[in-house]
Amino acid sequence: MALFEIFFQLGLRWESLFSISGSAHMHRCSASVVETNDNERGFMLENWLEPQCVSLHNKVNSYEEAIAIGGDLLVSAGKATESFTKRMISAVEEFGPYMVIAPGIAIPHARPEDGALAVGLSLITLDTPVNFGSPENDPVSLVICLCSTDSESHLDALARLVSLLEDKRNVDEILNAADVSEVMDLVSRF
């Protein structure tokens, strides 16, 4: 199954978390990203994922620790409150590992009212992958935390993220990056 199809299905689950007005909107956003050329760059993924929100080669023992690192990056960047981080962790406990969207990749998030202050992403890589409880997609070595202040402003960022992650070479490049600038160079193309 293509990563976009996974996100499309995930959009149906996100309806309960983000109050998305329908996954068809996500599909339209994704289609517009594919059609965008370099002359029409507008907002790129780097507008939502800032260098200070990237942390590479982390050593953690659990998904809770991994999410906490990603959440702390969002808090430090002024994108979310500490309660948002706690809610991302409890969402795994409450709803299960649905945020593990593909082999080795998780996108934890919480509802806007749980402490989101701005649309933002954090990205962390793990030296030793951890289990979230997903039989199909564990263990996870790439964790991208997402926060949004409403039910739609994050959809363009999500669509661009899909474009980045659907190519395994890009995921491998992120996982093998020696420093943040390598990740940001890759992200700047989406």
Side-chain angles (χ1 to χ4, degrees):
M1 180 178 293
L3 190 57
F4 173 75
E5 292 168 329
I6 294 168
F7 270 85
F8 189 75
Q9 289 178 350
L10 185 59
L12 299 175
R13 290 189 185 133
W14 277 4
E15 212 165 309
S16 65
L17 287 177
F18 279 111
S19 304
I20 290 177
S21 58
S23 57
H25 182 75
M26 187 184 310
H27 179 69
R28 286 193 306 276
C29 287
S30 295
S32 69
V33 170
V34 173
E35 295 169 3
T36 301
N37 65 39
D38 287 339
N39 296 326
E40 301 170 331
R41 290 175 67 101
F43 274 103
M44 302 299 291
L45 191 54
E46 65 191 344
N47 295 103
W48 293 285
L49 178 64
E50 301 167 359
Q52 70 266 27
C53 289
V54 177
S55 179
L56 305 176
H57 306 291
N58 292 277
K59 293 169 180 37
V60 300
N61 295 311
S62 66
Y63 73 82
E64 294 95 339
E65 290 178 19
I67 294 173
I69 291 170
D72 288 348
L73 293 171
L74 292 172
V75 171
S76 294
K79 307 283 184 186
T81 64
E82 290 180 15
S83 64
F84 191 83
T85 301
K86 291 176 185 169
R87 187 62 185 123
M88 285 192 293
I89 294 168
S90 68
V92 180
E93 298 159 3
E94 187 174 339
F95 300 112
Y98 72 92
M99 74 284 307
V100 184
I101 52 93
I105 303 172
I107 304 182
H109 54 278
R111 293 181 56 84
E113 61 268 20
D114 291 330
L117 302 174
V119 176
L121 299 167
S122 65
L123 181 152
I124 73 164
T125 63
L126 306 175
D127 277 346
T128 303
V130 296
N131 290 328
F132 276 66
S134 172
E136 302 86 23
N137 295 319
D138 274 343
V140 170
S141 53
L142 177 59
V143 179
I144 302 169
C145 295
L146 166 70
C147 66
S148 178
T149 55
D150 59 41
S151 63
E152 293 194 8
S153 60
H154 66 288
L155 295 178
D156 192 40
L158 188 59
R160 291 177 187 280
L161 188 58
V162 169
S163 296
L164 171 69
L165 298 176
E166 67 186 351
D167 186 334
K168 185 173 176 358
R169 293 173 297 188
N170 292 336
V171 174
D172 290 342
E173 190 173 332
I174 292 168
L175 292 174
N176 295 315
D179 60 52
V180 172
S181 66
E182 291 179 33
V183 173
M184 295 310 297
D185 287 344
L186 176 62
V187 166
S188 71
R189 293 182 263 171
F190 294 89

